Amino acid sequence: MNSFKRFIHKITHKPVDSIALVLSGGGARGAIEIGVLQALYEHHVKVEAISGTSIGAIIGVFYSAGVPPLEMKKIMDSQRFIKIFHFAWSKKGLMSMNELLRMFKKYNIGESFDSLNIPFYACASNLEKGTEEIFHSGNLHKAVIASASIPLLFEPEIINGNHYIDGGLYNNFPIEPLLGKYPYILGVHVNNFKQPDNYNAMAIAERVFSAVIKQNVIQKVKKCNYLIDPFLEDRIGIVDFRKTDKLFEIGYNEGIKFLKFSKL
């Protein structure tokens, strides 16, 4: 039914007092990641670093800048989060993310990685080179926008003359910058869901994209000390922000289970 462990994969039995996080892409399903962060936040768990792709990069940078998870949920829920992506057609026939830049300004998220409270890594896909790239320095705003620019929907972000799109294309679970630096890594994967009986155009596009990224993710999650990967009985599309409350609750409950399991 699913490719990953249903809840938590645990490699170590040693006491844990802090963790580093890997946040996958997954569009609207990123509300699960916000729920997990809320559980950690409530229990004062120290997050040493965050590495994210796409929606995971957006959520990761907000948390790294000190924005509380409930405030992130408010953004995603009350504004349907889709307003952040500002669906305004550009001359290239694609959409832009100007609203996300305005949200960065509203929450005082500067352009430098050094301005963050927590070390942060954003993964994006370089179209010219056909490879993934992990950003940890340079222009923070551009790196996050590049990481979240879903192919065929948003225009690529240009950084140093190269065109970048959604990091999930080549790496939807960017654990690499955390390996060997942090003793305990918690991964949150939000793309484990029941496939639909009938496919519309969006479902087909997402299914193709998921198939492309699936194999490399399977190998990467095995490198986590802990993994939260809830199976969703309902297929929730990447731009379906109507179920934010439900997804947040799933993530929060999984986060609480994780805390009890790891005794953090």
Side-chain angles (χ1 to χ4, degrees), residues 88-171:
W89 296 104
S90 71
K91 62 183 179 180
K92 296 179 182 179
L94 298 172
M95 294 177 262
S96 66
M97 286 196 184
N98 292 332
E99 188 64 23
L100 182 55
L101 289 173
R102 284 189 275 271
M103 294 300 294
F104 285 156
K105 182 177 181 180
K106 177 179 179 180
Y107 288 96
N108 297 314
I109 299 176
E111 295 186 1
S112 171
F113 280 79
D114 293 333
S115 67
L116 299 173
N117 302 327
I118 299 172
F120 171 71
Y121 304 83
C123 179
S125 299
N126 186 319
L127 287 179
E128 274 77 18
K129 298 179 180 179
T131 60
E132 66 182 85
E133 288 189 26
I134 303 292
F135 290 91
H136 186 55
S137 61
N139 189 300
L140 175 63
H141 294 178
K142 282 183 168 291
V144 175
I145 289 174
S147 180
S149 294
I150 301 171
L152 304 181
L153 288 183
F154 299 101
E155 54 184 310
E157 183 71 14
I158 301 176
I159 302 176
N160 297 327
N162 290 312
H163 293 75
Y164 290 86
I165 60 172
D166 198 300
L169 181 63
Y170 294 118
N171 188 348

XYZ file of all heavy atoms in Angstrom, residues 88-171:
662
model
N -0.778 35.394 -11.070
C -0.857 36.431 -12.095
C 0.015 36.009 -13.270
O 1.197 35.752 -13.104
C -0.383 37.769 -11.529
N -0.586 35.930 -14.435
C 0.151 35.447 -15.606
C 1.203 36.449 -16.041
O 0.953 37.644 -16.131
C -0.810 35.174 -16.757
C -1.776 34.089 -16.448
C -3.081 34.219 -16.116
C -1.494 32.684 -16.407
N -3.647 32.999 -15.874
C -2.704 32.033 -16.042
C -0.360 31.911 -16.632
C -2.795 30.660 -15.905
C -0.448 30.535 -16.494
C -1.652 29.927 -16.139
N 2.393 35.970 -16.309
C 3.471 36.816 -16.796
C 3.491 36.769 -18.317
O 2.763 36.016 -18.939
C 4.824 36.315 -16.256
O 5.184 35.096 -16.890
N 4.363 37.555 -18.905
C 4.458 37.578 -20.356
C 4.956 36.259 -20.918
O 4.805 35.986 -22.101
C 5.384 38.716 -20.795
C 6.826 38.595 -20.305
C 7.641 39.805 -20.735
C 9.078 39.711 -20.232
N 9.883 40.885 -20.642
N 5.528 35.426 -20.063
C 6.001 34.115 -20.496
C 4.888 33.066 -20.432
O 5.105 31.907 -20.781
C 7.173 33.660 -19.619
C 8.411 34.551 -19.723
C 9.511 34.043 -18.807
C 10.744 34.942 -18.867
N 11.806 34.473 -17.954
N 3.699 33.473 -19.989
C 2.599 32.532 -19.907
C 2.625 31.691 -18.655
O 1.883 30.730 -18.516
N 3.494 32.050 -17.717
C 3.593 31.326 -16.455
C 3.265 32.275 -15.306
O 3.107 33.478 -15.494
C 5.004 30.749 -16.280
C 5.439 29.734 -17.346
C 6.906 29.392 -17.160
C 4.593 28.481 -17.257
N 3.152 31.728 -14.111
C 2.781 32.534 -12.956
C 4.006 32.975 -12.153
O 5.055 32.348 -12.212
C 1.812 31.744 -12.072
C 0.472 31.489 -12.746
S -0.626 30.488 -11.753
C -0.340 28.882 -12.510
N 3.840 34.039 -11.400
C 4.949 34.578 -10.609
C 4.664 34.408 -9.120
O 3.562 34.069 -8.714
C 5.158 36.064 -10.928
O 4.039 36.811 -10.501
N 5.680 34.669 -8.300
C 5.561 34.533 -6.843
C 5.795 35.866 -6.145
O 6.404 35.921 -5.086
C 6.548 33.482 -6.329
C 6.160 32.063 -6.631
S 7.117 30.929 -5.609
C 6.544 29.355 -6.249
N 5.286 36.931 -6.723
C 5.502 38.246 -6.128
C 4.915 38.345 -4.724
O 5.464 39.030 -3.863
C 4.888 39.335 -7.010
C 5.638 39.481 -8.325
O 6.826 39.193 -8.398
N 4.942 39.918 -9.353
N 3.805 37.664 -4.487
C 3.177 37.738 -3.178
C 4.062 37.122 -2.095
O 4.057 37.557 -0.943
C 1.817 37.055 -3.199
C 0.992 37.238 -1.936
C 0.607 38.681 -1.675
O 0.586 39.484 -2.638
O 0.340 39.009 -0.506
N 4.831 36.096 -2.466
C 5.735 35.484 -1.490
C 6.782 36.486 -1.040
O 7.149 36.540 0.138
C 6.401 34.246 -2.085
C 7.348 33.469 -1.167
C 6.633 33.063 0.123
C 7.896 32.242 -1.871
N 7.256 37.308 -1.955
C 8.216 38.347 -1.584
C 7.603 39.326 -0.590
O 8.253 39.782 0.350
C 8.688 39.094 -2.836
C 9.609 38.314 -3.778
C 9.852 39.107 -5.054
C 10.929 37.993 -3.093
N 6.323 39.644 -0.774
C 5.650 40.536 0.153
C 5.506 39.892 1.542
O 5.581 40.569 2.571
C 4.283 40.943 -0.397
C 4.368 41.978 -1.519
C 2.999 42.514 -1.880
N 2.330 41.660 -2.847
C 2.453 41.787 -4.165
N 3.222 42.730 -4.672
N 1.801 40.976 -4.979
N 5.295 38.581 1.544
C 5.196 37.886 2.826
C 6.545 37.870 3.538
O 6.608 37.989 4.761
C 4.696 36.461 2.613
C 3.266 36.374 2.098
S 2.063 37.124 3.230
C 2.190 36.003 4.620
N 7.627 37.730 2.788
C 8.967 37.808 3.386
C 9.146 39.160 4.086
O 9.669 39.241 5.200
C 10.041 37.645 2.318
C 10.217 36.240 1.819
C 10.752 36.001 0.562
C 9.857 35.147 2.595
C 10.936 34.708 0.097
C 10.029 33.858 2.145
C 10.566 33.632 0.892
N 8.714 40.226 3.418
C 8.852 41.566 3.986
C 7.985 41.720 5.229
O 8.429 42.271 6.246
C 8.474 42.617 2.940
C 8.645 44.048 3.429
C 8.337 45.054 2.335
C 8.532 46.487 2.827
N 8.232 47.476 1.748
N 6.755 41.209 5.171
C 5.832 41.328 6.294
C 6.386 40.665 7.550
O 6.230 41.189 8.667
C 4.481 40.715 5.932
C 3.470 40.739 7.069
C 2.138 40.133 6.648
C 1.143 40.131 7.811
N -0.163 39.553 7.424
N 7.047 39.516 7.375
C 7.561 38.774 8.530
C 9.058 38.988 8.752
O 9.700 38.213 9.442
C 7.238 37.285 8.362
C 5.756 37.005 8.549
C 4.909 36.923 7.453
C 5.205 36.869 9.818
C 3.536 36.691 7.607
C 3.853 36.637 9.989
C 3.026 36.551 8.877
O 1.677 36.327 9.047
N 9.577 40.040 8.145
C 10.965 40.464 8.375
C 11.976 39.363 8.065
O 12.954 39.161 8.799
C 11.145 40.935 9.823
C 10.303 42.153 10.148
O 10.265 43.105 9.372
N 9.616 42.110 11.277
N 11.737 38.652 6.984
C 12.684 37.638 6.535
C 13.638 38.303 5.543
O 13.243 38.677 4.439
C 11.967 36.443 5.881
C 11.029 35.780 6.905
C 12.971 35.436 5.332
C 10.192 34.658 6.343
N 14.872 38.483 5.972
C 15.842 39.198 5.149
C 16.337 38.382 3.968
O 15.977 37.215 3.785
N 17.189 38.988 3.161
C 17.694 38.340 1.954
C 18.918 37.480 2.207
O 19.402 36.810 1.302
C 18.020 39.391 0.887
C 16.797 40.142 0.385
C 17.123 41.076 -0.760
O 18.312 41.119 -1.172
O 16.224 41.754 -1.259
N 19.422 37.490 3.442
C 20.631 36.739 3.759
C 20.318 35.501 4.593
O 19.513 35.554 5.530
C 21.614 37.630 4.527
O 22.705 36.880 5.031
N 20.955 34.399 4.272
C 20.831 33.187 5.074
C 21.325 33.435 6.496
O 20.842 32.824 7.447
C 21.641 32.051 4.440
C 20.959 31.363 3.283
C 20.955 31.938 2.023
C 20.321 30.139 3.459
C 20.341 31.306 0.952
C 19.699 29.494 2.402
C 19.708 30.084 1.140
N 22.292 34.331 6.634
C 22.877 34.615 7.946
C 21.898 35.323 8.883
O 22.132 35.389 10.090
C 24.133 35.480 7.790
C 25.263 34.746 7.084
O 25.294 33.505 7.165
O 26.099 35.416 6.457
N 20.806 35.865 8.332
C 19.839 36.568 9.159
C 18.902 35.616 9.898
O 18.148 36.042 10.777
C 18.993 37.518 8.290
O 18.163 36.782 7.398
N 18.939 34.322 9.568
C 18.027 33.351 10.159
C 18.499 32.887 11.530
O 19.694 32.904 11.829
C 17.888 32.143 9.225
C 17.329 32.443 7.830
C 17.394 31.201 6.952
C 15.901 32.961 7.916
N 17.562 32.430 12.347
C 17.885 31.935 13.681
C 18.406 30.509 13.660
O 19.096 30.076 14.583
C 16.632 31.983 14.573
C 16.048 33.374 14.699
O 16.784 34.360 14.691
N 14.737 33.466 14.805
N 18.042 29.765 12.618
C 18.392 28.350 12.495
C 19.077 28.142 11.150
O 18.616 28.669 10.134
C 17.122 27.466 12.570
C 16.427 27.655 13.920
C 17.454 25.999 12.341
C 15.064 26.973 13.988
N 20.177 27.383 11.087
C 20.792 27.078 9.793
C 19.763 26.453 8.844
O 19.016 25.547 9.226
C 21.892 26.076 10.152
C 22.236 26.409 11.566
C 20.936 26.804 12.209
N 19.742 26.954 7.605
C 18.696 26.562 6.661
C 19.289 26.255 5.294
O 20.193 26.944 4.822
C 17.663 27.686 6.559
C 16.659 27.502 5.464
C 15.674 26.527 5.561
C 16.709 28.291 4.325
C 14.745 26.353 4.539
C 15.792 28.132 3.309
C 14.800 27.152 3.416
N 18.744 25.209 4.654
C 19.196 24.788 3.333
C 17.971 24.639 2.424
O 16.959 24.050 2.825
C 19.917 23.444 3.404
C 21.085 23.409 4.371
C 20.884 23.179 5.731
C 22.390 23.617 3.917
C 21.944 23.145 6.621
C 23.463 23.588 4.804
C 23.227 23.355 6.153
O 24.284 23.321 7.041
N 18.063 25.185 1.215
C 16.971 25.082 0.251
C 17.465 24.385 -1.007
O 18.526 24.730 -1.543
C 16.432 26.470 -0.107
N 16.697 23.402 -1.471
C 17.078 22.651 -2.667
C 16.269 23.133 -3.867
O 15.047 23.282 -3.798
C 16.826 21.160 -2.438
S 17.231 20.128 -3.865
N 16.965 23.390 -4.980
C 16.316 23.792 -6.230
C 16.931 23.009 -7.385
O 18.016 22.429 -7.253
C 16.479 25.292 -6.462
N 16.228 22.991 -8.504
C 16.690 22.251 -9.687
C 17.208 23.219 -10.741
O 16.505 24.146 -11.159
C 15.541 21.422 -10.278
O 15.072 20.473 -9.347
N 18.462 23.011 -11.169
C 19.102 23.840 -12.185
C 18.766 23.282 -13.567
O 19.179 22.177 -13.913
C 20.621 23.847 -11.952
C 21.353 24.803 -12.868
O 21.052 24.918 -14.048
N 22.351 25.482 -12.325
N 17.987 24.039 -14.350
C 17.561 23.553 -15.659
C 18.708 23.450 -16.649
O 18.735 22.544 -17.479
C 16.468 24.474 -16.216
C 15.097 24.377 -15.554
C 14.134 25.361 -16.205
C 14.557 22.959 -15.658
N 19.647 24.390 -16.575
C 20.779 24.355 -17.509
C 21.647 23.124 -17.301
O 22.050 22.449 -18.265
C 21.635 25.622 -17.368
C 21.164 26.805 -18.205
C 19.951 27.480 -17.590
O 19.695 27.273 -16.389
O 19.264 28.215 -18.314
N 21.924 22.806 -16.057
C 22.815 21.691 -15.734
C 22.086 20.370 -15.563
O 22.712 19.311 -15.578
C 23.608 22.004 -14.459
C 24.514 23.220 -14.585
C 25.250 23.489 -13.279
C 26.154 24.708 -13.389
N 26.862 24.996 -12.111
N 20.773 20.430 -15.371
C 20.008 19.210 -15.156
C 20.348 18.529 -13.850
O 20.344 17.299 -13.758
N 20.634 19.339 -12.823
C 21.023 18.794 -11.522
C 20.338 19.576 -10.401
O 19.807 20.667 -10.610
C 22.541 18.878 -11.298
O 22.955 20.256 -11.365
C 23.291 18.062 -12.348
N 20.384 19.014 -9.213
C 19.908 19.707 -8.026
C 21.022 20.594 -7.493
O 22.207 20.344 -7.740
C 19.529 18.704 -6.943
C 20.751 17.932 -6.439
C 20.418 16.898 -5.397
O 20.054 15.779 -5.776
O 20.537 17.226 -4.204
N 20.641 21.627 -6.745
C 21.617 22.457 -6.045
C 21.058 22.799 -4.669
O 19.868 23.092 -4.528
C 21.934 23.733 -6.823
C 22.775 23.488 -8.070
C 23.262 24.779 -8.720
O 23.392 25.801 -7.996
O 23.489 24.766 -9.934
N 21.924 22.749 -3.671
C 21.543 23.109 -2.312
C 22.070 24.504 -2.020
O 23.273 24.755 -2.124
C 22.111 22.118 -1.279
C 21.657 20.690 -1.580
C 21.703 22.542 0.128
C 20.183 20.440 -1.371
N 21.173 25.414 -1.658
C 21.557 26.783 -1.333
C 21.640 26.960 0.181
O 20.712 26.606 0.911
C 20.540 27.769 -1.906
C 20.567 27.885 -3.402
C 19.761 27.074 -4.190
C 21.411 28.790 -4.030
C 19.783 27.173 -5.569
C 21.451 28.898 -5.408
C 20.633 28.090 -6.181
N 22.761 27.522 0.629
C 22.970 27.823 2.048
C 23.586 29.214 2.213
O 23.856 29.660 3.312
C 23.878 26.757 2.672
C 24.052 26.889 4.154
N 22.993 26.935 5.036
C 25.184 27.011 4.923
C 23.449 27.058 6.267
N 24.765 27.119 6.230
N 23.785 29.884 1.097
C 24.322 31.243 1.095
C 23.793 31.951 -0.151
O 23.141 31.343 -0.992
C 25.863 31.225 1.084
O 26.342 30.580 -0.080
N 24.094 33.244 -0.245
C 23.578 34.006 -1.375
C 22.239 34.627 -1.032
O 21.911 34.837 0.136
N 21.437 34.931 -2.058
C 20.151 35.581 -1.859
C 19.107 34.574 -1.387
O 18.699 33.681 -2.122
C 19.693 36.246 -3.163
C 18.464 37.122 -2.961
O 17.417 36.649 -2.535
N 18.591 38.395 -3.272
N 18.684 34.706 -0.136
C 17.747 33.761 0.471
C 16.403 33.764 -0.239
O 15.827 32.702 -0.500
C 17.560 34.125 1.945
C 16.527 33.316 2.733
C 16.928 31.852 2.808
C 16.370 33.907 4.141
N 15.896 34.945 -0.570
C 14.592 35.033 -1.219
C 14.585 34.285 -2.549
O 13.662 33.509 -2.844
C 14.220 36.505 -1.460
C 14.002 37.275 -0.204
N 13.689 38.625 -0.195
C 14.041 36.895 1.099
C 13.545 39.039 1.053
N 13.771 38.013 1.852
N 15.599 34.517 -3.345
C 15.673 33.861 -4.649
C 15.785 32.341 -4.507
O 15.192 31.585 -5.282
C 16.865 34.403 -5.453
C 16.624 35.759 -6.092
C 17.817 36.186 -6.916
C 17.490 37.377 -7.797
N 16.557 37.046 -8.888
N 16.555 31.905 -3.531
C 16.746 30.460 -3.332
C 15.431 29.770 -2.993
O 15.111 28.699 -3.536
C 17.780 30.218 -2.234
N 14.643 30.378 -2.102
C 13.378 29.763 -1.693
C 12.364 29.806 -2.834
O 11.654 28.827 -3.085
C 12.816 30.462 -0.442
C 11.439 29.912 -0.092
C 13.765 30.272 0.732
N 12.299 30.916 -3.548
C 11.379 31.011 -4.679
C 11.748 29.987 -5.744
O 10.882 29.319 -6.317
C 11.398 32.436 -5.258
C 10.711 33.392 -4.283
C 10.717 32.475 -6.623
C 10.804 34.842 -4.677
N 13.043 29.836 -6.004
C 13.492 28.828 -6.973
C 13.069 27.442 -6.536
O 12.551 26.644 -7.329
C 15.009 28.897 -7.129
N 13.262 27.143 -5.266
C 12.940 25.825 -4.736
C 11.468 25.488 -4.882
O 11.105 24.318 -5.042
C 13.336 25.745 -3.251
O 13.030 24.489 -2.705
N 10.598 26.510 -4.848
C 9.153 26.286 -4.851
C 8.477 26.569 -6.191
O 7.254 26.564 -6.268
C 8.511 27.148 -3.765
N 9.260 26.809 -7.239
C 8.676 27.128 -8.543
C 8.276 25.853 -9.277
O 9.058 25.254 -10.019
C 9.677 27.935 -9.381
O 9.888 29.201 -8.790
N 7.033 25.440 -9.065
C 6.517 24.189 -9.632
C 6.590 24.240 -11.155
O 6.134 25.211 -11.773
C 5.062 23.967 -9.190
C 4.977 23.913 -7.663
C 4.497 22.683 -9.796
C 3.563 23.910 -7.128
N 7.152 23.211 -11.800
C 7.285 23.193 -13.254
C 5.946 23.374 -13.966
O 4.921 22.854 -13.522
C 7.867 21.798 -13.541
C 8.507 21.383 -12.275
C 7.695 21.998 -11.168
N 5.960 24.139 -15.031
C 4.812 24.398 -15.906
C 3.784 25.357 -15.294
O 2.898 25.836 -16.009
C 4.107 23.100 -16.302
C 4.984 22.040 -16.986
C 4.145 20.817 -17.343
C 5.658 22.606 -18.219
N 3.901 25.649 -14.011
C 3.002 26.610 -13.381
C 3.683 27.956 -13.171
O 3.124 28.998 -13.480
C 2.493 26.078 -12.038
C 1.483 24.934 -12.056
C 1.053 24.592 -10.631
C 0.263 25.289 -12.900
N 4.902 27.925 -12.621
C 5.606 29.156 -12.293
C 6.826 29.350 -13.176
O 7.498 28.382 -13.548
C 6.036 29.141 -10.823
C 4.885 29.049 -9.870
C 4.556 27.848 -9.278
C 4.116 30.163 -9.582
C 3.485 27.749 -8.409
C 3.047 30.075 -8.714
C 2.727 28.867 -8.128
N 7.090 30.602 -13.477
C 8.269 30.880 -14.280
C 9.532 30.583 -13.471
O 9.561 30.792 -12.256
C 8.274 32.326 -14.759
C 8.124 33.378 -13.675
C 8.052 34.775 -14.257
O 8.923 35.114 -15.076
O 7.123 35.511 -13.901
N 10.576 30.067 -14.110
C 11.821 29.749 -13.402
C 12.429 30.993 -12.771
O 12.250 32.115 -13.261
C 12.729 29.198 -14.513
C 11.790 28.732 -15.574
C 10.635 29.686 -15.534
N 13.129 30.788 -11.680
C 13.859 31.868 -11.020
C 15.288 31.882 -11.567
O 15.934 30.836 -11.659
C 13.873 31.656 -9.509
C 14.537 32.767 -8.727
C 13.727 34.052 -8.716
O 12.526 34.018 -9.097
O 14.281 35.089 -8.307
N 15.764 33.056 -11.931
C 17.111 33.177 -12.488
C 18.091 33.564 -11.388
O 17.926 34.586 -10.721
C 17.149 34.213 -13.623
C 16.182 33.814 -14.744
C 18.579 34.340 -14.175
C 16.084 34.840 -15.853
N 19.110 32.725 -11.201
C 20.158 32.983 -10.218
C 21.508 32.793 -10.910
O 21.796 31.728 -11.443
C 20.057 32.021 -9.012
C 18.680 32.142 -8.340
C 21.177 32.293 -8.012
C 18.466 31.155 -7.212
N 22.304 33.833 -10.924
C 23.631 33.795 -11.572
C 23.552 33.286 -13.008
O 24.394 32.500 -13.452
C 24.586 32.924 -10.750
C 24.844 33.484 -9.363
O 24.863 34.691 -9.160
N 25.026 32.591 -8.389
N 22.523 33.718 -13.717
C 22.391 33.373 -15.129
C 21.788 32.011 -15.406
O 21.587 31.658 -16.567
N 21.496 31.239 -14.377
C 20.889 29.927 -14.551
C 19.417 29.955 -14.147
O 19.019 30.717 -13.257
C 21.618 28.876 -13.708
C 23.004 28.572 -14.230
O 23.203 28.340 -15.414
N 23.985 28.595 -13.342
N 18.621 29.098 -14.796
C 17.194 29.020 -14.516
C 16.922 27.872 -13.541
O 17.358 26.743 -13.774
C 16.403 28.802 -15.810
C 16.446 29.960 -16.748
N 17.565 30.259 -17.504
C 15.504 30.901 -17.050
C 17.313 31.340 -18.241
N 16.078 31.745 -17.993
N 16.182 28.189 -12.467
C 15.906 27.189 -11.441
C 14.401 26.989 -11.273
O 13.614 27.943 -11.357
C 16.490 27.628 -10.097
C 18.004 27.609 -10.051
C 18.731 28.715 -10.484
C 18.695 26.501 -9.574
C 20.123 28.712 -10.441
C 20.082 26.489 -9.523
C 20.784 27.589 -9.963
O 22.158 27.586 -9.921
N 14.023 25.727 -11.016
C 12.638 25.398 -10.723
C 12.587 24.504 -9.480
O 13.614 24.233 -8.847
C 11.945 24.704 -11.906
C 12.672 23.391 -12.252
C 11.855 25.621 -13.106
C 11.935 22.543 -13.280
N 11.406 24.042 -9.172
C 11.128 23.220 -7.993
C 12.213 22.182 -7.715
O 12.549 21.364 -8.568
C 9.790 22.507 -8.207
C 9.192 21.979 -6.919
O 9.858 21.147 -6.264
O 8.082 22.374 -6.575
N 12.733 22.214 -6.482
C 13.796 21.282 -6.111
C 13.354 19.839 -6.118
O 14.176 18.926 -6.240
N 12.044 19.607 -5.992
C 11.540 18.242 -5.966
C 11.774 17.466 -7.242
O 11.726 16.232 -7.238
N 12.036 18.168 -8.340
C 12.277 17.487 -9.602
C 13.440 16.515 -9.498
O 13.386 15.396 -10.016
C 12.557 18.513 -10.709
C 12.805 17.951 -12.112
C 11.566 17.221 -12.620
C 13.185 19.079 -13.070
N 14.505 16.925 -8.814
C 15.688 16.078 -8.665
C 15.916 15.594 -7.240
O 16.612 14.602 -7.030
C 16.940 16.823 -9.145
C 16.939 17.110 -10.627
C 16.958 18.423 -11.105
C 16.888 16.075 -11.561
C 16.950 18.693 -12.465
C 16.870 16.340 -12.918
C 16.903 17.648 -13.363
O 16.882 17.902 -14.717
N 15.347 16.308 -6.272
C 15.574 15.907 -4.878
C 14.433 16.426 -4.006
O 14.455 17.569 -3.563
C 16.914 16.441 -4.375
C 17.284 15.892 -3.014
O 16.471 15.289 -2.329
N 18.527 16.107 -2.600
